[in-house]
């Protein structure tokens, strides 16, 4: 009963954090916009409901677009969950997505077998390469004690510039006006799940499958258990005989592989060429999602949906109203601060704990009295 | 290629540019250092620099005075650092996540705020006027010395302040009671608490100082270095500063040398990118590659020293 009450409190606190962030967003909207109510409607309702004169209806296309936007962020979110669970603050998801997209595209152009497995091959190669690259911060941490956070952040920039170099010097399609690769072979494309222009591909199904796989990995395997134990208490894990170094490396390599998958699936699903000229931002979104999911992979799709929904709302708001879409960063930052705040509403939590304990003691004493009479 | 670059490396204008490029990194490194000394890893430096750079430029424009701009940037830096302190110390949000949140505000939030205040998108290039730029100073006697004068004289006021702050930080940390408290809290918060030092208060002060320093760094970026504010202008300097702090072994003077190293890397990047036949993209990655290498080399050296000490201690135990 005690646990249930506290669990309910956690959910309540999560909603409170989200409400605070939306309230902050509303304040900014009221300052910026000439027609704040309309802007708010675009932010909160329009992603799923389309308004026509007199009637409103569920907007299926828009719903598919939101689901499509979740594909890369589910992967980065899962990757961040695994790494943060081990208390490894590897922030290389951003570079991982970029590299995964690039390698996946190259594989889709140049390693073509013509069979149905080209897309699978491209995604696997992309994941493999990203996993190997993540060895740099991981081994730096384990072998040398260098902060994985700083090295992975710097690695993002290195990956960006090295990719741009190869893209512009070797792989560019010169017949195009802007910098991009040649189109990938049709067999390497990830097929659409629904018809239309929503870009909702089979990648979404794969993302959900990986959610299940990563959840099982984290909660049902030896390695997942070790990753979580290291995150809770590294020294204890070490003294109880776990190979801490190997597990730390494993967690970051898994994180890299997942972000590589995300990047490759995104590019091969949404586009036909690789044309990212800047870090795509999915890595940072993945961190927000992992925070919202409290590092539990099972909740990642839900958190990814929430962020994708807000993103869509911000886009609509900036298209139809006078509020810039960068609003999403402010909302995310506030969610970050409050959602991860362990002592947010701590007084209320304390009261709850006290109340529960008092009730339990009463119950106990009542039982004892009953026992004494009998 | 090397033949083309080498002679230019010893010219006064190149050495001058190293100092100019080092200044913002130095501000951020000192900011990282003070926070780290109090046991707080401030990864929000990047975001603080972006936000204070924006408000520095805007307030300088509104007041038509660079001095007001710098003060405002300093103030905003302190304000954000205090917000970080509130969330990480009172509400117990993980300090790294707090830093990431501040960096998000710095990346996208600033673009939004700029639009909110001025209606401009992405940069403040149209606000440029000479009054809002930090002025340069020619130092009377120094200026007339050939070569050295060319390198050391004619910098912006804040460049001199940056190097002067290295000394001030050292004084603060090693010659004042506050510095002693900061170091004590960083070394062992429980011990500090047991002798009556308020750990949270000291951490608040250290973070505020850290915010003030990175605020100055931000002002330098937008009001002198690139002459206006634009999105992504800090470009990882806040993170480079974290490495520079570690490589400087957490000492102000060491921090200065490692900042100069990263300044050199950045200056080389600008130099090399001017030469034909060199990939501008690969050159752009130089500062970041140098940072990773620097971090690893530094970490490797300390790691070995610690290991050696351990081995020696164990040997002593055995002989006893």
């Amino acid at each position: 009963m005690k646990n249930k009450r506290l669990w309910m409190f956690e959910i309540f606190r999560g909603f409170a954090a989200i409400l605070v962030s939306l309230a902050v967003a509303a304040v900014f909207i009221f300052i910026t916009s000439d027609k704040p109510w309309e802007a708010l409607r675009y932010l909160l309702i329009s992603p799923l409901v389309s308004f026509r004169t007199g009637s409103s209806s569920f907007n299926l296309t828009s719903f598919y677009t939101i689901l499509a936007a979740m594909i890369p962020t589910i992967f980065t979110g899962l990757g961040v969950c695994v790494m943060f669970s081990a208390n490894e603050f590897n922030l290389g998801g951003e570079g991982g997505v970029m590299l995964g997209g690039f390698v996946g595209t190259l594989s889709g152009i140049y390693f073509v077998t013509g069979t149905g497995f080209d897309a699978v091959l491209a995604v696997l190669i992309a994941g493999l390469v990203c996993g190997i690259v993540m060895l740099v911060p991981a081994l730096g941490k384990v072998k040398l004690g260098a902060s994985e956070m700083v090295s992975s952040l710097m690695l993002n920039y290195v990956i960006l510039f090295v990719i741009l170099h190869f893209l512009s010097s070797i792989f560019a399609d010169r017949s195009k006006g802007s910098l991009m690769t040649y189109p990938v072979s049709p067999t390497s494309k990830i097929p659409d799940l629904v018809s239309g222009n929503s870009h909702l591909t089979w990648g979404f199904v794969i993302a959900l499958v990986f959610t299940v796989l990563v959840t099982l990995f984290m909660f049902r395997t030896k390695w997942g258990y070790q990753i979580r134990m290291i995150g809770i208490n590294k020294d204890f894990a070490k003294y109880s005989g776990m190979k801490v170094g190997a597990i730390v490396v494993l967690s970051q390599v898994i994180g890299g592989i997942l972000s590589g998958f995300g990047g490759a699936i995104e590019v091969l699903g949404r586009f036909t060429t690789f044309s990212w000229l800047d870090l795509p931002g999915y890595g940072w979104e993945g961190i927000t999602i992992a925070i919202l999911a409290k590092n539990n992979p099972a909740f990642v799709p839900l958190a990814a949906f929430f962020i994708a929904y807000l993103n869509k709302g911000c886009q609509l708001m900036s298209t139809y109203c006078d509020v810039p879409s960068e609003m999403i960063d402010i909302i995310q930052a506030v969610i970050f601060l409050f959602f991860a705040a362990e002592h947010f509403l701590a007084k209320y939590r304390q009261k709850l704990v006290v109340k529960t304990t008092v009730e339990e003691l009463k119950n106990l004493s009542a039982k004892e009295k009953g026992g004494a009479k009998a | 290629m090397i033949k083309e670059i080498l002679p230019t490396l010893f010219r006064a204008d190149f050495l001058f540019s190293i100092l100019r490029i080092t200044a913002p990194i130095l501000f951020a490194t000192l900011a990282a250092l003070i926070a780290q000394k109090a046991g707080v890893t401030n990864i929000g430096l990047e975001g603080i620099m972006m936000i204070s750079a924006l408000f520095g430029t805007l307030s300088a424009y509104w007041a038509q005075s660079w001095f007001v701009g710098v003060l405002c940037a300093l103030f905003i830096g302190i304000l954000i650092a205090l917000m970080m302190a509130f969330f990480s110390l009172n509400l117990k949000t993980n300090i790294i996540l707090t830093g990431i949140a501040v960096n998000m505000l710095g990346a996208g939030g600033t673009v939004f705020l700029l639009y909110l205040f001025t209606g401009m998108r992405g940069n403040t290039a149209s606000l440029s006027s000479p009054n809002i730029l930090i002025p340069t100073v020619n130092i009377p006697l120094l200026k007339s010395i050939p070569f050295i004068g060319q390198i050391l004289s004619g910098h912006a006021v804040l460049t001199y302040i940056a190097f002067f702050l290295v000394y001030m930080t050292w004084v603060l940390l090693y010659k004042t009671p506050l510095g002693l408290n900061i170091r004590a809290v960083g070394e062992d918060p429980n011990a500090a608490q047991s002798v009556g030092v308020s750990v949270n208060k000291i951490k608040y002060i250290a973070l505020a100082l850290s915010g003030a320093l990175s605020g100055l760094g931000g002002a330098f970026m937008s009001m002198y270095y690139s002459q206006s504010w634009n999105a992504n202008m800090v470009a990882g300097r806040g993170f480079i500063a974290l490495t520079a702090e570690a490589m400087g072994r957490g000492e102000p003077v060491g921090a200065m040398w490692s900042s100069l190293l990263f300044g050199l890397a950045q200056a080389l990047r600008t130099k090399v990118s001017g030469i034909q036949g060199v990939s501008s993209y690969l050159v752009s990655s130089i500062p970041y590659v140098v940072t990773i290498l620097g971090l690893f080399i530094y970490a490797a050296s300390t790691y070995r020293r610690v290991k050696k000490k351990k081995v020696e201690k164990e040997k002593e135990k055995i002989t006893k």
Side-chain angles (χ1 to χ4, degrees), chain B residues 56-183:
Chain B
T57 304
L58 287 183
S59 54
Y61 179 75
W62 287 326
Q64 280 298 312
S65 146
W66 65 272
F67 189 70
V68 173
V70 171
L71 275 188
C72 185
L74 184 97
F75 179 70
I76 290 285
I78 294 175
L79 209 67
I80 296 165
L82 287 180
M83 185 193 82
M84 287 181 74
F86 174 73
F87 275 100
S88 66
L89 300 174
N90 294 49
L91 291 184
K92 302 282 176 202
T93 306
N94 183 318
I95 182 69
I96 290 174
L97 300 181
T98 317
I100 295 176
V102 168
N103 290 338
M104 273 183 179
L105 284 179
T110 45
V111 178
F112 180 82
L113 290 174
L114 175 66
Y115 179 82
L116 181 74
F117 286 116
T118 64
M120 283 184 280
R121 284 182 189 270
N123 67 70
T124 62
S126 56
L127 292 186
S128 82
S129 86
N131 319 353
I132 69 167
L133 296 180
I134 296 166
T136 54
V137 227
N138 285 315
I139 299 171
L141 274 174
L142 196 66
K143 191 180 71 177
S144 41
I145 306 172
F147 197 66
I148 292 176
Q150 280 176 304
I151 300 170
L152 296 180
S153 178
H155 283 286
V157 186
L158 275 192
T159 312
Y160 296 112
I161 292 180
F163 283 91
F164 179 64
L165 280 174
V166 175
Y167 174 69
M168 289 309 289
T169 309
W170 179 81
V171 170
L172 171 81
L173 286 176
Y174 292 101
K175 299 289 167 199
T176 65
L178 174 64
L180 181 67
N181 281 345
I182 288 179
R183 284 184 293 133

Side-chain angles (χ1 to χ4, degrees), chain A residues 12 64 182 196 249 272 367:
Chain A
F12 167 72
Y64 286 152
Y182 293 98
V249 171
T272 48
K367 257 185 199 168

Side-chain angles (χ1 to χ4, degrees), chain B residues 178-243:
Chain B
L178 174 64
L180 181 67
N181 281 345
I182 288 179
R183 284 184 293 133
V185 166
E187 200 104 332
D188 189 341
N190 294 329
Q193 186 96 52
S194 72
V195 292
V197 177
S198 164
V199 173
N200 268 11
K201 192 177 115 191
I202 296 296
K203 284 190 172 176
Y204 259 97
I205 294 174
L207 264 173
L209 287 171
S210 170
L213 284 166
S214 36
L216 287 178
F220 186 93
M221 286 302 296
S222 66
M223 295 166 65
Y224 176 73
Y225 189 85
S226 54
Q227 314 267 312
S228 71
W229 185 91
N230 51 289
N232 296 325
M233 67 182 302
V234 178
R237 282 181 179 78
F239 303 126
I240 290 177
L242 290 175
T243 311

Side-chain angles (χ1 to χ4, degrees), chain A residues 351-364:
Chain A
K351 269 184 197 163
L352 255 183
V353 172
V354 172
K355 199 175 153 194
T356 323
T357 323
V358 168
E359 272 174 18
E360 265 180 15
L361 285 177
K362 262 185 192 165
N363 280 345
L364 261 180

